Amino acid sequence: MKRWYIVLFACFAAAPFGALAQTSSTMTDSSNVILTRVLDLAEIGFQNGVEFEQLSGGATFFFPTGTRDAIDEMSLVLDYVSGQTIPVERNLQVRVSGQVMHVERIDGETSRGRIEIELDRDAIQSGFVEVGIDYAGASSESICIDERASGDFLRIEPSTRIILSLDRAALDDVARVADVMPPRKRLVTVPSTSADRALSFALRAAAAYDAEAGMITFESGDSDSGDSWTSTTIRLSSTETGGVGGAQVSVTNTPKPGLLFEGKEPSLGFDVIGSPWGPLSSGATYRIDGSRSTQDTITFADLNIGTLDQLVTGSTTFDISASIDAFPVGQIPMGVQLLIAAARSVNGQGVTASAYMNGTLLGSRPLDNEGPTWMSFTIPAGLVVRDNQIEVLVQRQIEGGSCRFGPQGYPAQIFPESRFILGKAPDPIDDFFLLRQAFGNGLDVVLGEDVGAQEAMPWLLPVAGAILPDAVVITPQSQIIAPVDGDRPRPFLYVGFQAPAGADAKVRFDQGRVEVRDNQGSVLFNGEMLNDVGLVQIVEVNGRSGLWLRPGAGAPPAPTPVAPLLLDRGDLAFISSDGVQIVTSTRRASLIDVVYPERFDAMQLIATYRPWIVGALWIALTLIVIRFLQGVYHRAGRGKKS
């Protein structure tokens, strides 16, 4: 089976705001400063690289390089590992912007190789360098030889990269810096900044820059030393300029360019900066306004997914991503209707299409019609999660050519008229991913009196990245306010060591000593161990659903792109420096039992002595049955004597 990859990514697109302003800040001593910026496959989403086998495969990557004006030199370094079991002829072709730049013959058994190519700045098109890779080979002149016999493979390593030498003096514009800045961000605030201002800004930055994958940290000072530009400093000023609702973003006057946010609503600056993936947004990732009205369907075109087209020889897979953020608030996909067309073979054979949702088979349908055909599949509610993946496997029987010609591929397409059927979502209080969707309507953030913003930030950033959509509207509040009659209640995010007043929290810390046990009664957390971990819990206060984050006393989470902090299903999670320790649902079949040994109410007493109580009840029931049977026996005996 051939494997082909066409790689397109996009983040949120830039949005115009009348009250926003971008300014530039040039450096007087930067005329001779050259910065090195490395963009590798891991950065654009391929932490494990890509792999091909059976003497066939290809991939196309888009590296965001920004404008060519700031680039002094540029080169491509391609690392690969290959192997085979029998001698075969193999080659690797590298294309840049559609032109063949290098052809490499691959010899021997398992080996490593590196290809280095100097690139001209003209290779940049619309802020990207397109790099194509084609892998091919043959084991015999006879086409009847099975290509699987070679046991070959070729893996393009995630260290494959484009190296940019950037002229610091040319990076004097916000758009230029945003297009090429490293994905890792360092958030720095001025000490005089108010807690509410810093908190709302940090939450928005965490949501926009993937804090759940460790892409943003809260620090002080500038630790990015050397010539390599590996992180971007984002500074929040205490200056409230720019008018009502305004934000001003400028380039910092530092050796390595950073961004300075000012104004009364500095978070709006994230919208005007946008993303370097904007020109490719029609191909893959999307964002839907969470406030849109309720509807019955949402098409692939609404999600900026165009026509999907592949050649099918034996089998091929169409991958379609659908985040919960893509659907209107309060609705989830209950089904998918695919409009598919596939060409018949020369012998009139059609194909079979099988649809999967997050790895679970939804159904399979034959496709024998000459034109486009609708195929409907039901999606069980239990399959929907935060990041959903629809896979459509299209298969056809390979038809040989009597050893005169190789198998022929025929086109198959999925059209943008395909659509998701929407239904009412469960209550946001049930699962983290549903609460994330509810945050699309905005949220109130409340900082408890028992915790400071500075100490909570290392815990808050990764949790905010995991639970908040990218373009969330954040409003600081001093307390959780009951909703007004007729208004849609906004969810909240509460940060504090104690549960918010009136919350129906499963785990509390105002009832004395706490023990968290599994279903067999073994203690999982208690005492200092429980105090060290962080607690993330969905609670309800005054008719409003929200999230309670209790920072731990131990080391905060340290997520990475390979091991991100994900909060998906469940409503209670314990987190630590190792990530999510336990996540469970307290409203369904809970995996834990929370015990308060110092609280002796009826339910606590029953929970503590449950085995003894059950045993005593069985003994009492047994004695009652024995006494009853004895009475029956004695009455029967007296009846016989009489």
Side-chain angles (χ1 to χ4, degrees):
M1 179 180 70
K2 293 185 178 181
R3 301 180 65 184
W4 297 89
Y5 300 82
I6 296 180
V7 187
L8 299 176
F9 289 90
C11 296
F12 56 86
F17 286 88
L20 290 171
Q22 297 186 57
T23 64
S24 301
S25 177
T26 58
M27 296 180 58
T28 58
D29 58 347
S30 62
S31 57
N32 296 321
V33 176
I34 299 296
L35 300 177
T36 301
R37 172 78 168 93
V38 178
L39 300 97
D40 57 21
L41 288 185
E43 179 177 324
I44 63 174
F46 289 85
Q47 284 79 17
N48 299 318
V50 294
E51 188 170 308
F52 314 108
E53 56 186 15
Q54 298 179 21
L55 304 176
S56 179
T60 301
F61 306 103
F62 290 85
F63 291 89
T65 58
T67 177
R68 67 185 67 179
D69 297 335
I71 297 176
D72 188 59
E73 294 179 352
M74 181 170 59
S75 62
L76 169 66
V77 179
L78 189 148
D79 296 326
Y80 67 87
V81 179
S82 67
Q84 62 190 36
T85 57
I86 62 175
V88 293
E89 293 291 332
R90 297 181 294 156
N91 64 81
L92 175 63
Q93 184 183 90
V94 181
R95 292 174 286 104
V96 177
S97 299
Q99 296 183 345
V100 177
M101 300 293 291
H102 184 86
V103 178
E104 181 97 348
R105 180 179 179 180
I106 304 175
D107 298 318
E109 298 179 354
T110 303
S111 62
R112 293 182 176 272
R114 170 172 290 182
I115 299 173
E116 298 183 7
I117 304 173
E118 294 295 327
L119 302 179
D120 190 88
R121 295 192 304 173
D122 292 336
I124 301 174
Q125 299 178 359
S126 301
F128 291 84
V129 172
E130 176 188 349
V131 177
I133 297 172
D134 293 309
Y135 171 61
S139 58
S140 170
E141 294 182 357
S142 173
I143 63 173
C144 289
I145 298 295
D146 192 339
E147 68 272 11
R148 293 174 296 181
S150 63
D152 67 291
F153 78 93
L154 174 73
R155 181 172 65 252
I156 306 300
E157 295 285 74
S159 59
T160 294
R161 58 201 178 273
I162 282 184
I163 302 175
L164 305 177
S165 295
L166 300 172
D167 182 2
R168 173 62 182 91
L171 294 173
D172 57 353
D173 179 82
V174 171
R176 289 182 181 180
V177 173
D179 284 345
V180 75
M181 63 183 178
R184 295 188 179 275
K185 308 295 188 299
R186 300 172 57 253
L187 183 61
V188 178
T189 62
V190 177
S192 59
T193 304
S194 66
D196 287 345
R197 178 180 171 86
L199 191 61
S200 59
F201 181 80
L203 290 176
R204 182 62 195 279
Y209 292 127
D210 301 326
E212 74 275 21
M215 291 292 101
I216 186 168
T217 56
F218 188 77
E219 303 176 17
S220 60
D222 194 346
S223 61
D224 192 5
S225 59
D227 295 333
S228 183
W229 189 19
T230 59
S231 64
T232 305
T233 300
I234 297 177
R235 300 180 185 274
L236 173 63
S237 172
S238 60
T239 305
E240 296 188 358
T241 59
V244 177
Q248 180 174 290
V249 185
S250 59
V251 179
T252 59
N253 190 24
T254 52
K256 295 178 183 178
L259 297 176
L260 175 64
F261 288 74
E262 301 174 282
K264 290 189 176 181
E265 296 185 66
S267 298
L268 295 178
F270 293 112
D271 294 299
V272 77
I273 289 175
S275 164
W277 301 105
L280 299 180
S281 61
S282 61
T285 309
Y286 38 79
R287 177 171 57 88
I288 297 297
D289 183 5
S291 62
R292 65 191 303 169
S293 59
T294 301
Q295 55 193 85
D296 296 329
T297 63
I298 185 169
T299 67
F300 286 10
D302 293 332
L303 305 178
N304 290 333
I305 301 176
T307 301
L308 306 177
D309 190 352
Q310 294 192 44
L311 289 178
V312 183
T313 302
S315 64
T316 191
T317 301
F318 295 89
D319 294 315
I320 304 159
S321 298
S323 168
I324 193 65
D325 302 341
F327 304 106
V329 173
Q331 292 187 287
I332 61 173
M334 306 297 290
V336 60
Q337 295 179 342
L338 302 173
L339 184 58
I340 305 179
R344 292 185 178 184
S345 69
V346 293
N347 296 323
Q349 298 295 323
V351 302
T352 298
S354 303
Y356 293 80
M357 174 77 164
N358 298 327
T360 299
L361 179 64
L362 301 179
S364 182
R365 308 280 191 275
L367 179 60
D368 294 321
N369 296 338
E370 296 181 356
T373 301
W374 284 100
M375 295 184 177
S376 298
F377 302 94
T378 300
I379 299 177
L383 290 182
V384 181
V385 292
R386 169 187 155 170
D387 298 311
N388 301 282
Q389 190 75 16
I390 295 286
E391 297 178 346
V392 182
L393 175 64
V394 180
Q395 298 171 295
R396 69 165 68 247
Q397 182 64 46
I398 297 178
E399 300 177 5
S402 301
C403 295
R404 292 178 297 166
F405 51 85
Q408 174 66 47
Y410 299 89
Q413 291 185 334
I414 298 179
F415 295 96
E417 290 82 1
S418 301
R419 54 185 177 248
F420 288 101
I421 307 301
L422 303 180
K424 180 177 174 54
D427 195 296
I429 203 170
D430 290 344
D431 290 292
F432 290 119
F433 81 95
L434 294 172
L435 185 62
R436 174 188 173 96
Q437 188 193 46
F439 282 142
N441 283 331
L443 79 149
D444 294 339
V445 57
V446 180
L447 190 65
E449 297 180 356
D450 56 352
V451 65
Q454 190 83 10
E455 61 179 319
M457 204 64 72
W459 295 86
L460 184 57
L461 289 179
V463 171
I467 202 68
L468 300 183
D470 290 346
V472 61
V473 178
I474 301 169
T475 305
Q477 298 284 1
S478 59
Q479 60 182 347
I480 301 173
I481 305 172
V484 180
D485 293 340
D487 291 345
R488 175 188 292 179
R490 282 161 51 103
F492 62 86
L493 172 59
Y494 181 86
V495 184
F497 291 114
Q498 296 294 338
D504 58 341
K506 174 72 172 180
V507 182
R508 307 185 64 91
F509 295 87
D510 55 0
Q511 305 291 324
R513 188 161 56 92
V514 186
E515 290 184 356
V516 179
R517 303 174 181 175
D518 60 18
N519 291 336
Q520 283 71 44
S522 300
V523 176
L524 300 174
F525 299 104
N526 66 353
E528 291 298 325
M529 186 188 308
L530 182 59
N531 194 49
D532 285 343
V533 300
L535 176 70
V536 184
Q537 186 173 183
I538 298 178
V539 296
E540 193 170 23
V541 179
N542 297 328
R544 298 177 62 183
S545 301
L547 193 75
W548 169 33
L549 168 63
R550 182 183 191 270
T560 65
V562 177
L565 182 77
L566 296 180
L567 297 173
D568 205 330
R569 285 196 167 270
D571 60 0
L572 174 63
F574 297 89
I575 60 177
S576 69
S577 58
D578 296 326
V580 178
Q581 297 293 297
I582 296 176
V583 60
T584 185
S585 172
T586 62
R587 292 169 174 82
R588 294 190 290 269
S590 180
L591 301 177
I592 64 170
D593 188 21
V594 182
V595 178
Y596 302 91
E598 298 175 359
R599 189 180 71 183
F600 291 100
D601 55 23
M603 295 304 298
Q604 184 71 54
L605 189 64
I606 292 174
T608 303
Y609 299 101
R610 181 172 55 187
W612 294 96
I613 294 174
V614 172
L617 290 175
W618 272 110
I619 293 174
L621 181 61
T622 302
L623 293 175
I624 292 173
V625 172
I626 292 174
R627 183 70 182 89
F628 172 76
L629 293 177
Q630 285 179 337
V632 172
Y633 176 77
H634 287 306
R635 286 194 296 272
R638 287 196 299 268
K640 290 181 180 180
K641 291 179 180 180
S642 61

